[in-house]
Amino acid sequence: MTDERELDDGLAAFDQLGREMAETNRLLRAVRTDQATRNQQEQALSAEMQAALKQATEALQEALQASQTEIRSSLLWTGLTSLLIALAGCGAGYYLGHQSGWEQGHAEGYQKARNQEAAASWANTPAGQRAYGLDRQGSLDLLTMCHGNGWTTERQKGGTVCFPYADAKGNVTGWYLP
């Protein structure tokens, strides 16, 4: 009886194991089916995401091209406007500079003529004729720079005075240098 009972117990255990294996196979099939369904859903979602990404990329490229076209157009107009402003400025500067130069040239020419006229007038005075005579003899530079033999210079009253030789009484008189 013990053998029969052990046999019954063994068969019951084997039967139990068979049921558990059948249940395990059923669960594995369900998991595999569920996994296949998920894979299909993920592939479908991935395809949708790729399509959306492609649409977004194309829209972005179109917007970028439109933006580049607008920037080029703006740069072109800005460059042309700057060129026109520069040309207008150059033209105005040339005109105003030409006018100013013309007026300044007249003023300088007039001043030179007045200076030459004044110099000519002074040259015709007795002092001018004496200065001309001293210059012809080479003595004018000696006098104006106080370079005679034994001559000295001193600072007095804010100017430089040239003193030539002393006279017989020891008195020395001089003149202010220019």
Side-chain angles (χ1 to χ4, degrees):
M1 219 162 251
T2 342
D3 283 336
E4 280 183 29
R5 183 154 169 96
E6 284 181 9
L7 185 61
D8 284 338
D9 286 342
L11 285 174
F14 187 69
D15 191 34
Q16 179 65 28
L17 182 61
R19 282 191 303 267
E20 286 177 5
M21 287 190 72
E23 181 62 23
T24 301
N25 283 335
R26 186 188 66 76
L27 288 173
L28 280 174
R29 279 191 302 272
V31 166
R32 284 184 188 140
T33 303
D34 188 44
Q35 186 65 39
T37 303
R38 283 188 189 160
N39 286 343
Q40 288 173 349
Q41 289 173 345
E42 285 178 4
Q43 286 176 354
L45 182 60
S46 177
E48 288 175 11
M49 288 176 69
Q50 286 178 354
L53 182 61
K54 184 177 178 183
Q55 269 184 328
T57 302
E58 289 171 356
L60 182 62
Q61 286 176 345
E62 288 176 12
L64 182 62
Q65 286 174 348
S67 174
Q68 287 174 341
T69 302
E70 187 176 331
I71 288 171
R72 285 185 190 123
S73 176
S74 295
L75 286 175
L76 178 65
W77 282 110
T78 302
L80 288 174
T81 303
S82 298
L83 179 64
L84 288 174
I85 290 171
L87 288 174
C90 288
Y94 174 78
Y95 176 76
L96 294 174
H98 184 71
Q99 288 298 103
S100 174
W102 186 264
E103 291 169 4
Q104 185 176 359
H106 280 287
E108 286 177 6
Y110 179 72
Q111 186 62 39
K112 283 182 181 179
R114 283 190 65 196
N115 290 345
Q116 288 177 355
E117 186 179 309
S121 294
W122 180 81
N124 290 324
T125 65
Q129 290 174 358
R130 283 191 301 271
Y132 179 70
L134 286 171
D135 188 43
R136 288 188 72 205
Q137 293 175 2
S139 301
L140 187 61
D141 285 340
L142 289 175
L143 290 173
T144 58
M145 292 187 228
C146 195
H147 284 316
N149 190 12
W151 294 4
T152 61
T153 58
E154 284 184 20
R155 294 284 299 164
Q156 291 184 0
K157 299 182 184 177
T160 303
V161 179
C162 180
F163 293 103
Y165 294 114
D167 63 9
K169 294 182 181 178
N171 294 326
V172 178
T173 57
W175 58 88
Y176 284 98
L177 296 176

